[in-house]
Amino acid sequence: MALILGGGGLIGFGSFASAGEGSSSGQDGTLSAGASTIECPEVANALPGVPVEARTEVDRELALMDSQITEAYAKFADQKEQIQSDPQLAENAILNPLKDKRQASIDRIATAIGRSGEKPKGMDELAPCSLRDDGNDQGDGQNEGDNQEGDDQGQGQDGGQDQGNGGQDQGNGGQDQGQANGGQDGGQDNGGQVGNGPEASDFADIQSVQPNVKAPQAGNDASTGSFATDCGVNENGKFNPDNVIVAPGVANGAHHMHDYVGNQANDAFASDDDLANGDTTCQNQGDKSTYYWPVLRLQNGQNENDANADGGGKDQNIGEIQRPSEVTLNFVGSPVGKVTAMPRFLRIITGDAKALTNGDKNANASWSCTGFEDRQLRDKYPICPEGSKVVRSFKFQSCWDGQNIDSANHRTHVSFANENGECADGFRAIPQLVQRIVYDVPPGPGFALDSFPEQLHKPITDHGDFINVFDEKLMSDLVDCINNGQKCGPGEVAPKPDETQAPDPDESQAPKPDESQAPEPGNSAEAPPAPEETDKPDEGGAAPKPDDTTGPDETPAAPSKPAEENEEQNPATPPRGDDAPGAAEPEAGVPAEPKQQVLKAATQEVTPPRAYNTPAQVANAAAPQGGLADTGARMWPLAAGALLLVAGVVLLRVRGRGGNARHL
């Protein structure tokens, strides 16, 4: 009997161990306990170049590939429990079909490019995708700075992301942890957005973050002026899930809702002429530029009218959309010289809507709280103390190649200045857009960005989009203002470079990795210093002084090339993420119908959508895999079996001796 039990224990261990073998989210697509999303290579970033003649077709195929990932993620989420029991199901039902679809799109992209130029080679390796965990350990919040658009460090030059202070109270630091436990309340749990994020670990108490923004050094030739434009806070309620920059002509190209201020003609189908003739919410009617970013939602059990629409509930973006309490848009100069005018219709995307799966090379998220804007977070949402408000800020690229208003991957025609504030060879400084968005949201975890479904609403995926539609005279005035060291525009404007703070990559007080502080200088970490009107929380010591909060000084130059892509608009849904090259869209070549722009918050209670992760699964996913505790959990059947086996052998020997004695 002991032998039988011991053998059973060993067999049990063998089957238990084999169930765990290969369960890390490797290239074979097997599912680990923590696997929670799909990771695919970014084809747009691998394209060597796209002839203008092929740009439209390529953009549509890239958008189609995004839609393919979105559909595959939905299947994965629906079948996650079955996949955990049968990992091969992920390969057969999700990853292999996705690979075939991506291969077909890649072939069409190569063919389109080959008609007007050299057909790209070696792209087949970009077709396979894999499963991976949620990436909570992916970064410590310090921006590395080697951005595809250029060094993130350039962003830190003017440190003036703090253009407008304001700040509504985001709420008290994370006491609302209850929201992160138990997802019975309509998505407010760890997997707040219908079970696919964010989690409690995606938040950090801003008071535990050390100051990581420093003042940049401005040279004698610095252009220290600033120009502010006031375009409101989207009082018109213009939202759509399109992205005319990365997915022109494709409805729901972003798969998440966007907030729009400025130009009111922006949707997936808008041409340059449409933008030039469109209405604007900007006080100065000479500014018809379009400024847009993903909406922020409360995970409070309240649904929006887009609960069953593209970009909203259909793309796993749920909750009550929050209107910013303040939006400041400032253009600043360069710390090393004069800036030149931006070309009309210049497109700039900052940040990466797919940073969770693409990595942080192009990430430029910057999160903070009013009164604490000398502390910036990149891959964590801030938990603000009472009386302080959530702040998202962006410093856009400030160097232009002098020729193009867009590029194949929508990035390489602009870049960030280096750590000294200088543009790379062949690039010139243009006015740098510094954007600051403030929200008055309840205390603690319980809010999230809209995102591509597979990006799990991670804060590092935050991004902003801008198309320059200033008229020629106003752009000339803007450049003169900056180069002459003046502050122009409505209200207070950004301070001079020496007043601006930028993140210090080598700052000894940099935040701890789990605090995910803002990136090094040049990255979103150079978040703006605290605004003047900032309600400084009780804690205070490290919070920036109100007068320290001013706009950046970095001045960029303007590019000049006609934009050829138009973004589509999705029905009754707010705009969605845009930075990802080739946002997900409908079938290539099939134009989508224009979608409705206005979306009003509804108060009906959210019907809990498919639960992708139970609280227990979330906890398991967050737990480290392969550590001593995990090893112990896997080894106990072996230990028990071995003990029973030894006991059996001993009993047999004893019985054998007893038998021999009786025989004698």
Side-chain angles (χ1 to χ4, degrees), residues 38-48 58-59 61-67 69 102 106 109 123 125-129 148 246 351-359 361-362 408-411 452 454-455 576 578-584:
I38 295 175
E39 180 177 52
C40 300
E42 184 59 79
V43 174
N45 291 342
L47 295 176
V58 169
D59 281 340
E61 285 296 337
L62 291 172
L64 175 60
M65 295 177 79
D66 284 341
S67 292
I69 297 173
R102 285 172 59 83
I106 288 172
I109 288 173
M123 293 181 61
E125 62 187 22
L126 302 175
C129 299
Q148 173 175 299
V246 300
D352 186 355
K354 299 178 184 176
L356 172 63
T357 54
N358 284 348
K361 179 178 182 180
N362 292 317
N409 62 5
H410 313 292
R411 295 183 183 277
F452 283 95
E454 74 281 0
Q455 298 302 311
R576 54 157 302 201
D578 44 292
D579 289 348

Side-chain angles (χ1 to χ4, degrees), residues 296-317:
L296 188 79
R297 299 182 192 247
L298 283 186
Q299 306 300 290
N300 60 357
Q302 298 299 310
N303 243 347
E304 283 289 359
N305 289 342
D306 67 344
N308 298 309
D310 289 342
K314 284 187 177 180
D315 285 307
Q316 312 308 323
N317 293 301

Side-chain angles (χ1 to χ4, degrees), residues 551-618:
D553 302 307
E554 215 175 289
T555 49
S560 54
K561 169 187 176 183
E564 41 206 72
E565 310 172 349
N566 301 330
E567 175 181 86
E568 323 182 345
Q569 188 173 347
N570 198 334
T573 37
R576 54 157 302 201
D578 44 292
D579 289 348
E585 334 178 325
E587 279 296 324
V590 182
E593 317 89 354
K595 304 189 173 184
Q596 162 180 349
Q597 302 175 2
V598 179
L599 172 146
K600 300 198 183 222
T603 53
Q604 83 183 68
E605 188 159 334
V606 176
T607 301
R610 299 187 296 261
Y612 303 152
N613 292 328
T614 64
Q617 289 172 331
V618 171

Side-chain angles (χ1 to χ4, degrees), residues 155-424:
Q155 244 178 275
Q157 296 310 316
D158 66 290
Q161 287 194 12
D162 181 2
Q163 301 248 101
N165 321 313
Q168 277 89 18
D169 178 20
Q170 160 186 316
N172 276 325
Q175 278 79 350
D176 192 9
Q177 299 286 343
Q179 260 182 255
N181 304 317
Q184 290 86 357
D185 56 328
Q188 294 188 50
D189 64 348
N190 281 352
Q193 296 260 358
V194 210
N196 74 330
E199 302 178 352
S201 58
D202 291 317
F203 291 79
D205 185 345
I206 195 66
Q207 295 179 89
S208 68
V209 177
Q210 296 300 312
N212 56 355
V213 175
K214 71 173 184 180
Q217 294 297 318
N220 295 332
D221 298 325
S223 44
T224 59
S226 59
F227 182 97
T229 183
D230 184 352
C231 301
V233 294
N234 195 14
E235 293 89 342
N236 291 353
K238 179 174 177 61
F239 306 96
N240 66 45
D242 303 338
N243 192 333
V244 72
I245 296 179
V246 300
V250 179
N252 193 32
H255 294 279
H256 54 260
M257 283 296 166
H258 283 141
D259 248 324
Y260 289 82
V261 300
N263 203 295
Q264 297 295 285
N266 190 345
D267 62 22
F269 309 96
S271 66
D272 288 350
D273 286 343
D274 292 332
L275 295 175
N277 296 320
D279 293 332
T280 181
T281 63
C282 299
Q283 287 184 15
N284 191 323
Q285 294 294 295
D287 181 10
K288 291 190 176 184
S289 301
T290 178
Y291 308 84
Y292 57 105
W293 53 84
V295 300
L296 188 79
R297 299 182 192 247
L298 283 186
Q299 306 300 290
N300 60 357
Q302 298 299 310
N303 243 347
E304 283 289 359
N305 289 342
D306 67 344
N308 298 309
D310 289 342
K314 284 187 177 180
D315 285 307
Q316 312 308 323
N317 293 301
I318 64 165
E320 187 178 4
I321 292 176
Q322 299 300 289
R323 176 184 294 172
S325 60
E326 179 184 356
V327 174
T328 53
L329 305 168
N330 287 334
F331 291 86
V332 299
S334 163
V336 298
K338 305 301 182 186
V339 298
T340 60
M342 293 181 178
R344 205 167 195 218
F345 304 118
L346 172 69
R347 271 89 162 139
I348 305 182
I349 291 174
T350 195
D352 186 355
K354 299 178 184 176
L356 172 63
T357 54
N358 284 348
D360 61 4
K361 179 178 182 180
N362 292 317
N364 189 23
S366 195
W367 296 87
S368 191
C369 302
T370 58
F372 293 90
E373 291 179 63
D374 59 346
R375 314 169 187 201
Q376 295 292 320
L377 296 167
R378 182 175 61 165
D379 58 8
K380 302 289 183 186
Y381 291 113
I383 295 174
C384 303
E386 187 171 359
S388 178
K389 300 154 190 167
V390 172
V391 181
R392 326 161 48 178
S393 49
F394 298 103
K395 299 187 70 176
F396 284 67
Q397 293 87 317
S398 59
C399 300
W400 169 56
D401 68 6
Q403 301 178 28
N404 303 297
I405 60 168
D406 200 0
S407 50
N409 62 5
H410 313 292
R411 295 183 183 277
T412 51
H413 61 297
V414 290
S415 68
F416 289 104
N418 64 23
E419 58 186 1
N420 297 318
E422 301 167 335
C423 292

Side-chain angles (χ1 to χ4, degrees), residues 67-88:
S67 292
Q68 293 164 356
I69 297 173
T70 296
E71 292 166 4
Y73 174 79
K75 291 180 182 177
F76 163 71
D78 282 338
Q79 303 178 57
K80 190 169 183 181
E81 290 186 9
Q82 297 96 302
I83 291 172
Q84 287 175 328
S85 305
D86 179 13
Q88 196 59 35

